[in-house]
Amino acid sequence: MGNIKIIRGVFDTKLELEHASVVAGFPSPADDYRHETLDFNRDYIKHPEASFYGDVSGNSMKDAGIFDGDRVIIDRAVEPHDGSIVLAWWNGDFTMKYLDLTHRDEGYIELRPANDDFPVFKIDDPDNFKVWGTVIHLIRTFETV
């Protein structure tokens, strides 16, 4: 069931990259005058002390666009809601699934995969379950250098 490896990030170093829009047609003459920068920490990490990377293994979330080998950013300070993708600790292991709170009044919640080949987990034992964090961003590598 464990489909994610948690990695502590170092988010106190400022990383700035030149930021430009990606044009699928002709380049804009105004591109020569852009001076905006992308600061990864400012733009993507809102709670550095509560943020972690997770390396995904497996395909239980493929229909959500999260694939084996992807990296996600998990924020433990963000309160999940019904439909959030969460990293949960259940039965002694981490799993990443959609959080389904629609059955809370019936005494249970569900963790739903984004792949019909995987089961839905019915959680009715709160002592054996914890939402560890909310998945906020997805990072995908297309080429290794």
Side-chain angles (χ1 to χ4, degrees):
M1 178 177 56
N3 62 352
I4 194 157
K5 175 184 166 191
I6 305 301
I7 303 167
R8 179 70 179 147
V10 178
F11 300 109
D12 57 355
T13 304
K14 191 172 186 178
L15 172 66
E16 289 191 10
L17 303 170
E18 186 65 29
H19 179 243
S21 62
V22 177
V23 180
F26 295 102
S28 168
D31 283 346
D32 294 337
Y33 300 100
R34 290 184 185 261
H35 295 290
E36 183 180 349
T37 60
L38 170 68
D39 180 337
F40 188 82
N41 295 311
R42 178 196 68 216
D43 297 335
Y44 294 100
I45 308 298
K46 300 302 181 200
H47 308 104
E49 67 289 346
S51 294
F52 294 83
Y53 294 112
D55 285 341
V56 177
S57 65
N59 292 306
S60 70
M61 296 301 289
K62 73 175 184 78
D63 293 340
I66 303 172
F67 299 102
D68 185 72
D70 284 347
R71 179 168 281 174
V72 292
I73 299 175
I74 303 148
D75 192 331
R76 297 191 73 191
V78 172
E79 188 71 28
H81 55 81
D82 183 53
S84 290
I85 297 175
V86 298
L87 182 64
W89 180 257
W90 184 61
N91 280 342
D93 212 348
F94 283 114
T95 188
M96 183 176 54
K97 303 284 185 278
Y98 283 115
L99 181 64
D100 182 345
L101 301 174
T102 59
H103 302 282
R104 197 179 338 188
D105 292 342
E106 300 165 54
Y108 69 95
I109 62 172
E110 292 180 338
L111 294 176
R112 296 190 158 276
N115 182 340
D116 291 337
D117 294 336
F118 289 80
V120 173
F121 299 128
K122 181 178 176 180
I123 311 296
D124 55 9
D125 179 9
D127 293 332
N128 196 22
F129 170 78
K130 179 172 180 63
V131 172
W132 195 82
T134 305
V135 175
I136 303 299
H137 297 289
L138 169 69
I139 302 168
R140 176 165 300 136
T141 302
F142 293 104
E143 296 284 336
T144 55
V145 289

